[in-house]
Amino acid sequence: MPITERLRLGVNIDHVATVRNARGGDTPDPLRAAKLAEEAGADGITAHLREDRRHISDRDIDALVEALTVPLNFEMAATDEMMQIALRHKPHAVCIVPEKREERTTEGGLEVAREEKRLANYIAPLREAGCRVSIFIGADSKQIEAAARIGAEVIELHTGAYCDAHAEGRLVARDTELQALREMSAYAHSLGLEVHAGHGLTYDTVAPVAAFPEVRELNIGHFLIGEAIFRGLKPAIAEMRALMDAARGDALKSTG
Ligand code: PXP
């Protein structure tokens, strides 16, 4: 498939809130980070309101909905509480993620195939409210098929296993994970799903994923917020944007 569209960058600002919450005050402000991200070329802002509110708060979501000019991708678990919040705000996109209290981050994708009926019923009101519903899953054809059957418009592929293998120098595993992501991006696209990807991406790992022609959006957070400590948020995001565009351009050349 030829690359025809610019790859979108969604900047996840959760960990600005993590730093704020370490002291319990008002700074650093995730909304300020979101506005800087917009200026640096982010095409969207992602925020995950976790059940335990460990980083993003309800007030942060109110402020983002009020002030953002780019679309908000609201990440949430499939619970009744989150449904009420999502329907109150009707964000551009809702990304359904699995959530376990004891995990440090979203470790795996959603088991859509196991909960197909419940999830189909769950996402219906979100779709009726006009939200684009995205389902965060591993590179697994069964989960992709189930996501298509429940009526999701978008899937986000979990890139964590690929990034972990790269960081730990397990190069065979890294390449296997990357190949699965490549094949499953193409498969999901062939089923009519829009394909996004994210989790754990860094300057070192972003290019191969950005070059998949079917991928339309990457969501990146933790690495960018960490990098911002050393060089500021706008330059950190601008470099990620440049790496994505370069990878896309190179892929374009190689496919003619
Ligand atoms: N996409 C989804 C669905 C996520 O849950 C997360 C983490 O909150 C990300 C992308 C961003 O991951 P990271 O912060 O590791 O870049």
Side-chain angles (χ1 to χ4, degrees):
M1 183 188 135
I3 292 176
T4 50
E5 310 207 38
R6 179 175 179 269
L7 182 60
R8 293 196 302 264
L9 170 60
V11 173
N12 181 317
I13 49 151
D14 291 351
H15 296 300
V16 178
T18 304
V19 176
R20 176 195 59 195
N21 295 358
R23 281 291 169 94
D26 291 334
T27 59
D29 178 9
L31 177 61
R32 185 172 167 201
K35 299 302 284 178
L36 278 176
E38 283 181 352
E39 287 170 26
D43 302 287
I45 298 296
T46 294
H48 182 178
L49 185 66
R50 293 188 82 105
E51 189 192 1
D52 62 8
R53 309 298 198 270
R54 70 176 70 157
H55 39 57
I56 292 293
S57 68
D58 298 67
R59 273 179 54 201
D60 291 329
I61 297 295
D62 294 345
L64 290 166
V65 169
E66 178 76 26
L68 283 184
T69 56
V70 294
L72 174 66
N73 177 30
F74 179 58
E75 275 184 29
M76 62 181 221
T79 65
D80 292 344
E81 183 200 19
M82 290 301 150
M83 175 62 78
Q84 282 178 16
I85 295 169
L87 290 179
R88 191 164 73 239
H89 289 304
K90 298 187 179 55
H92 167 81
V94 172
C95 181
I96 310 287
V97 300
E99 212 175 279
K100 294 190 217 112
R101 249 174 204 278
E102 64 279 12
E103 71 188 356
R104 264 191 292 176
T105 181
T106 312
E107 284 162 5
L110 204 65
E111 288 287 334
V112 199
R114 211 164 52 199
E115 293 195 272
E116 200 170 317
K117 197 151 177 257
R118 182 179 91 83
L119 286 170
N121 290 331
Y122 187 83
I123 69 170
L126 294 169
R127 295 207 51 195
E128 276 160 33
C131 304
R132 280 175 78 68
V133 176
S134 164
I135 309 282
F136 190 44
I137 52 178
D140 173 345
S141 59
K142 282 199 198 64
Q143 305 302 338
I144 291 170
E145 288 157 11
R149 280 196 300 271
I150 67 170
E153 292 166 281
V154 181
I155 56 151
E156 180 164 331
L157 290 175
H158 197 310
T159 50
Y162 154 66
C163 293
D164 286 349
H166 176 86
E168 291 159 15
R170 293 182 286 113
L171 301 188
V172 175
R174 177 197 65 186
D175 293 347
T176 305
E177 295 292 348
L178 195 59
Q179 183 59 16
L181 289 166
R182 183 180 294 114
E183 287 170 11
M184 290 303 112
S185 301
Y187 183 54
H189 181 265
S190 77
L191 298 183
L193 291 159
E194 181 171 310
V195 183
H196 300 176
H199 207 283
L201 290 169
T202 65
Y203 295 151
D204 287 343
T205 50
V206 74
V209 181
F212 299 161
E214 298 84 5
V215 172
R216 296 286 314 279
E217 177 175 310
L218 299 181
N219 285 301
I220 308 179
H222 182 265
F223 175 81
L224 287 174
I225 304 306
E227 198 61 15
I229 293 170
F230 302 106
R231 53 157 123 179
L233 190 56
K234 283 173 79 171
I237 293 171
E239 178 160 351
M240 188 63 83
R241 175 81 264 167
L243 289 168
M244 287 164 55
D245 291 344
R248 212 69 177 167
D250 291 347
L252 185 60
K253 274 182 236 145
S254 68
T255 57

